[in-house]
Amino acid sequence: MATRRVLLRAWQLSCLANLAALHGLQDDFELHPPDLLLFYNLTQVREADCRAFTHRAAQGDTELLANLPDQRAALQRVALACLGGPRLRLSASDLLLLGVLVCDMDASSIVAADPRVLQNLQRCHRLTAPQQAALNTLLASGETTLGPPGSWNLEGLRALGPLATYISSSLWMQVQQVGCSGVGGCPAGCGQGEGRPAGLPAATLLGTGVPSPSLPQGFHPWGGRRNQGPLPAPRQGMESVCPLCQAVGLDFFGSTVATYRAGRLSQQDARRFVTGFLKAKAESVSSRPKRGTATGRPCLRGDITAATLRDDLFLVHYDCVQLESCLGSRVLKANLDPLLQHPLPAECQRVVKAKLARVYPRGVPEEQLPLIASLVYLYSRSEIGQWNVTSRDTVVALLASDVALENQTEAVLQKYLDHNGTLTGALLVAIGGSRLCWMSARQIQAIRPSEFRLAGALDISSCPQSRKDVLYAKAREAFGSTRTTAAYYRFMRPYLGGAPVEELRHLVQANVSMDIDTFTNLNPRVLQSLSVGNVTTLLGQNVGDLQKARSHPTISSWLRSLNRSALGELGLDTDPAGLSGPGRSTTVTPNTAPRGPYPAPTSGLPRHSAPASGSPPAHLGYLPLSVALPSGLLWLLYWGTPGLSQDCSWDPRTMASEDGAAPAPRAGKRGLVAGVHHVRPSRGPQGWSPPTSSSQDRELE
C-alpha cells in the first residue's frame, strides 16, 4: 500500500496500526505509509529511531487525527524531544525533520523560524488567524527567497502556492506599487509609457492578456484601460514608479482567477485572496486625489459585455457598485455562467441576486438554477418556493456545492419531493450524508427503507443530535433485518450517534471493537450511562485511543465522571498531560497545543466530518506497573488469546456467559497484551430486544 500510495481512511489506518503493533511490525515503520505512523503508539517508538520515525510520520496528513487531539499534540512533543527540546528558532534542518507538524506551531515559532518554513506551511490544510499574521510578518521582513515585497515577481508569487491567498491587503499595496514582473528594475521613462524591458512578453504587461508593445501614457493598473489619476509620487531612490512594475499584482490576480475558474482552487481560498487584493485596490484608489463626482451611480467603466466577463481581471475593473451600474439584464441572462465563475465577493453576489429577481420576478427558471449554486445561501424559503425543481441533476447541482444551509437544503428538497414524491438512494449518495443533517425530520422519515439501504453507510457525523436520533431510527428500520452482526454493524456504524443505551449494551456483546470516531460521535448523555466495563469491552482493541483522544469533549465529559481507580482500569494516567515521548517517562512540552476547541456534539449546527481512528493499548513494558496491572483488570490474565479475523475483529469462538456481560474466564492462557476480547451474540440484530434489569452488564469490581 505504501508503494502504490493507496489512499486510506482514518479507521482503516487505525486497524492497520493495531495489527502492526500486535504482530510486532511497528519497527518496520520506514516501509509503512506515512499516514499509518500517525496512529502508532508513540510510547513504543524507540529513542534511537526517534528522528527517522518523526521524519517519516511528518510526511503524513495530520488532519486524519481530527478526533485524536492528544495524539496530535503528542506527535509535537515527540518531534521536539528528538530535537533536544523546544527551541527558540527552528533551523532549516529542524524544519526538514518536522515536515507537516509545523502546521501546529504557534505564530511566534513561525516568525522566529528559518525562512524556509514557508515550504512546511504550504502543506497545511488551513492557517489559523495568528498563523496568517505570522506568515505576513515573515513575508514583509524580506528574509524569504522572495525578498522584500517591492522585489516580488510573478514566478515567486506562484511558487508560494496556496500561501499566496493569505497575503494581507497591506502587503498587496506594496507589491502593486513597486513590484516588477520578472525583471530586475524599471527602464528609464517607463512611467511616461516609453518602452518596456527587453525579453518581457508584451501580453504580460498589463495582466490583461492584450498584446501591447508600449504602455499608454499615464496608465495606472487600477484603472485598466484608461487613466484614473496621476501615478503615485516616486519613492526615494526611484526616478519613477513604473506602471509596468505595478502589473505584478494584476498578473497574479488574473492567474489566480484563471486557476479558480479551471476548478483548481477552492472557493474559500479564491474568495480570501480576492477580498484582500480588492481591499488593497480600494485603499489605493481612495488615497489618490478624486475628480469631480457625479450624482447617482453612473457606469464609469463602460457596459459589461460577454467579452468583459471572459477577462480574468473583471473584478479589478468592476467593483460591486460598477457591477450594479454596468451589467444589463440581457447580458446577465445570456452570460450568467461566466459571471458566476468569478469568485465574487458577498456584496457582488447580492447585486447579482437582486438583478436576477428583476429579470425573473416569478422565480429563477430551472435551467438556470444549476448555475446559481454559489448564490443559494442568499435565498429564503419563500423565494425557493417559487422555483421548479423537477430534475435530480438540479438537486445535485444546488446541494452538492456545500454552500446551501439548513433552510435552503430543506426547501430545495421539498420542491423536488413535491414533484417526484421520493428521494432515491442514488440521490442521497450524490448529495452526501451531511445533507441529511439539514433535512426535516418529516423528510427523513419519508425516505423508503429500500432506498436508505441502497444509499448504504453515509457519513452523518456532522449532524446535530436531534437529526442523529431521527437518522438512527431510519437506519434501524432499513438495516434491522440484516442477517449477520458484522454486516449490521457495518451499515449501522455511521448512525449510532443516535443510538439509545440499550443498543450500545447489545453492541458490547457483539465483538465490534468500535473505533474512536464512532465512539466520539455517540450521544454524550447516553455515554454517561455506560460503565467502565461497557466502554472497555465496546472499544476492544481500540481502548488505547482513549488516551489519544481524552481532550475530545465527548470523551473528556465521560472521563470527568470517573474516579482515579476507574481511570487506572482504562489504562489512563491521571495526569491530563497524557502521552510521554518515545521510550521516556518524562513529558517534553511542545510550543503548541492541539487545535481546538472542538464544537460541542449537541450543537445545533453541523461540524466538519472527522475520520475514524484507533490503535492498540500500550505494551506493558512501556507503562508504569500501577497502570498496566490495576486490580480490576487482573482477571484478564485468565482470558484466552484468540486470533484476529481478516476484518480486524476478534475471533468469536469464545462463548458468552448467560448474562452477556463478558466471556467466562479460561485458565491456562494469558491475553492481556492482545487487548480486550469480545464475543458475538447467538442471535442476529433482528432478534435483539432491550435488556431487562437482571441482564444488564455487571460492574467489573
Side-chain angles (χ1 to χ4, degrees):
M1 285 186 282
T3 303
R4 299 185 181 184
R5 300 192 178 188
V6 177
L7 184 62
L8 298 170
R9 290 179 290 178
W11 69 268
Q12 294 171 310
L13 293 164
S14 166
C15 176
L16 288 174
N18 292 337
L19 290 174
L22 180 68
H23 295 287
L25 302 177
Q26 189 163 295
D27 290 342
D28 299 330
F29 61 85
E30 292 184 342
L31 304 176
H32 299 168
D35 287 343
L36 179 59
L37 274 60
L38 301 175
F39 293 84
Y40 278 161
N41 191 330
L42 301 180
T43 62
Q44 296 185 6
V45 179
R46 292 196 298 259
E47 189 169 0
D49 295 331
C50 181
R51 296 183 70 91
F53 179 89
T54 300
H55 181 261
R56 185 151 183 82
Q59 300 173 38
D61 180 8
T62 54
E63 293 299 306
L64 291 165
L65 299 175
N67 272 351
L68 296 178
D70 297 86
Q71 175 76 351
R72 191 161 178 168
L75 281 167
Q76 282 275 339
R77 291 195 296 270
V78 168
L80 293 175
C82 293
L83 298 177
R87 302 193 176 191
L88 295 177
R89 186 178 191 272
L90 296 172
S91 66
S93 60
D94 295 338
L95 294 170
L96 185 62
L97 175 71
L98 293 173
V100 74
L101 300 180
V102 170
C103 298
D104 288 335
M105 293 289 183
D106 57 29
S108 60
S109 300
I110 293 174
V111 172
D114 183 278
R116 276 168 281 195
V117 71
L118 295 180
Q119 299 176 19
N120 299 68
L121 295 177
Q122 285 180 345
R123 299 184 55 191
C124 303
H125 287 261
R126 66 191 67 84
L127 298 182
T128 64
Q131 287 175 330
Q132 294 177 36
L135 170 66
N136 280 281
T137 299
L138 191 61
L139 292 174
S141 70
E143 296 179 0
T144 69
T145 55
L146 278 74
S151 66
W152 290 0
N153 55 45
L154 183 60
E155 292 73 23
L157 287 170
R158 285 175 174 168
L160 283 177
L163 292 182
T165 66
Y166 292 102
I167 296 177
S168 65
S169 58
S170 60
L171 280 186
W172 281 125
M173 288 282 290
Q174 299 179 48
V175 174
Q176 292 156 345
Q177 289 183 8
V178 297
C180 291
S181 183
V183 295
C186 297
C190 179
Q192 288 69 42
E194 300 174 6
R196 60 183 175 90
L200 184 66
T204 66
L205 289 180
L206 313 182
T208 61
V210 180
S212 177
S214 62
L215 294 170
Q217 183 172 354
F219 173 83
H220 193 278
W222 295 134
R225 293 170 296 175
R226 61 183 69 208
N227 181 27
Q228 295 297 316
L231 291 170
R235 295 193 178 187
Q236 186 176 1
M238 293 183 61
E239 295 181 3
S240 64
V241 176
C242 176
L244 180 65
C245 302
Q246 292 172 321
V248 173
L250 292 179
D251 281 348
F252 186 69
F253 185 95
S255 174
T256 302
V257 171
T259 301
Y260 169 74
R261 296 174 74 181
R264 298 193 301 272
L265 185 66
S266 72
Q267 187 176 87
Q268 181 181 12
D269 287 345
R271 285 234 179 99
R272 180 175 55 245
F273 163 73
V274 167
T275 299
F277 191 95
L278 295 183
K279 181 180 178 181
K281 168 187 177 295
E283 292 174 354
S284 175
V285 172
S286 63
S287 66
R288 299 200 307 270
K290 294 184 179 179
R291 300 151 77 182
T293 57
T295 60
R297 292 182 174 182
C299 176
L300 302 177
R301 300 293 186 192
D303 292 339
I304 294 174
T305 65
T308 308
L309 295 175
R310 289 194 295 269
D311 185 0
D312 291 331
L313 293 179
F314 166 70
L315 289 176
V316 172
H317 302 319
Y318 291 86
D319 59 18
C320 299
V321 173
Q322 286 297 292
L323 178 65
E324 166 68 35
S325 303
C326 303
L327 180 61
S329 299
R330 188 172 301 176
V331 174
L332 174 64
K333 291 177 63 175
N335 298 276
L336 185 58
D337 187 29
L339 170 62
L340 295 181
Q341 284 183 9
H342 290 273
L344 301 177
E347 180 185 354
C348 293
Q349 288 183 322
R350 286 189 285 270
V351 169
V352 174
K353 176 181 178 289
K355 285 183 171 290
L356 286 173
R358 292 193 289 269
V359 173
Y360 302 111
R362 296 184 179 181
V364 180
E366 184 166 11
E367 62 270 17
Q368 296 277 52
L369 289 179
L371 305 179
I372 67 167
S374 60
L375 306 180
V376 173
Y377 78 100
L378 295 172
Y379 284 84
S380 65
R381 279 174 171 270
S382 59
E383 289 172 324
I384 294 176
Q386 295 180 303
W387 298 350
N388 286 320
V389 182
T390 63
S391 166
R392 170 187 176 275
D393 293 338
T394 301
V395 175
V396 172
L398 291 175
L399 300 186
S401 62
D402 237 11
V403 174
L405 301 178
E406 179 175 9
N407 292 338
Q408 289 80 8
T409 298
E410 182 180 343
V412 168
L413 288 174
Q414 192 57 51
K415 291 297 296 183
Y416 179 77
L417 287 171
D418 291 342
H419 183 271
N420 292 277
T422 186
L423 296 175
T424 65
L427 180 57
L428 293 176
V429 172
I431 63 177
S434 62
R435 288 298 173 195
L436 294 173
C437 304
W438 300 121
M439 294 171 62
S440 68
R442 183 178 179 182
Q443 289 174 338
I444 293 173
Q445 292 165 353
I447 301 174
R448 296 173 183 171
S450 59
E451 297 297 338
F452 206 87
R453 284 194 295 272
L454 289 174
L458 299 173
D459 182 7
I460 63 162
S461 58
S462 60
C463 291
Q465 188 60 53
S466 60
R467 292 297 190 276
K468 289 181 179 179
D469 295 342
V470 177
L471 287 165
Y472 166 78
K474 173 56 63 176
R476 194 75 170 85
E477 181 184 358
F479 303 119
S481 60
T482 306
R483 293 185 177 181
T484 66
T485 302
Y488 172 80
Y489 178 72
R490 184 169 67 251
F491 288 123
M492 287 295 297
R493 184 188 60 81
Y495 308 104
L496 291 176
V501 67
E502 292 81 9
E503 172 82 323
L504 298 181
R505 284 175 175 157
H506 281 303
L507 292 175
V508 167
Q509 307 172 46
N511 190 32
V512 296
S513 291
M514 181 179 287
D515 62 84
I516 197 68
D517 177 61
T518 303
F519 186 77
T520 56
N521 281 291
L522 297 178
N523 187 333
R525 294 183 179 180
V526 172
L527 185 59
Q528 295 295 325
S529 301
L530 296 181
S531 67
V532 172
N534 292 154
V535 171
T536 301
T537 310
L538 183 63
L539 291 175
Q541 64 192 47
N542 298 316
V543 70
D545 285 342
L546 288 174
Q547 176 75 303
K548 301 176 182 180
R550 62 185 305 163
S551 297
H552 191 285
T554 299
I555 295 179
S556 64
S557 63
W558 181 71
L559 292 178
R560 283 195 299 269
S561 67
L562 305 180
N563 56 32
R564 283 175 171 266
S565 174
L567 290 173
E569 291 186 32
L570 290 169
L572 298 177
D573 55 55
T574 56
D575 180 8
L579 297 173
S580 60
R584 303 171 187 228
S585 59
T586 59
T587 299
V588 178
T589 304
N591 286 348
T592 61
R595 290 178 184 266
Y598 281 74
T602 54
S603 170
L605 294 175
R607 297 183 285 122
H608 292 294
S609 57
S613 56
S615 75
H619 191 280
L620 294 179
Y622 295 89
L623 289 174
L625 186 59
S626 60
V627 175
L629 296 176
S631 59
L633 292 182
L634 285 175
W635 62 277
L636 289 175
L637 293 173
Y638 295 97
W639 277 20
T641 312
L644 281 171
S645 61
Q646 291 183 354
D647 64 353
C648 302
S649 60
W650 296 96
D651 193 316
R653 289 173 293 178
T654 307
M655 298 301 294
S657 58
E658 184 64 26
D659 65 358
R666 294 188 298 171
K669 293 187 179 181
R670 295 179 295 275
L672 179 59
V673 176
V676 180
H677 311 308
H678 309 289
V679 294
R680 298 185 187 274
S682 57
R683 297 178 289 168
Q686 67 272 22
W688 287 354
S689 59
T692 62
S693 58
S694 62
S695 66
Q696 292 182 353
D697 298 332
R698 299 193 189 100
E699 294 291 336
L700 288 180
E701 290 80 1

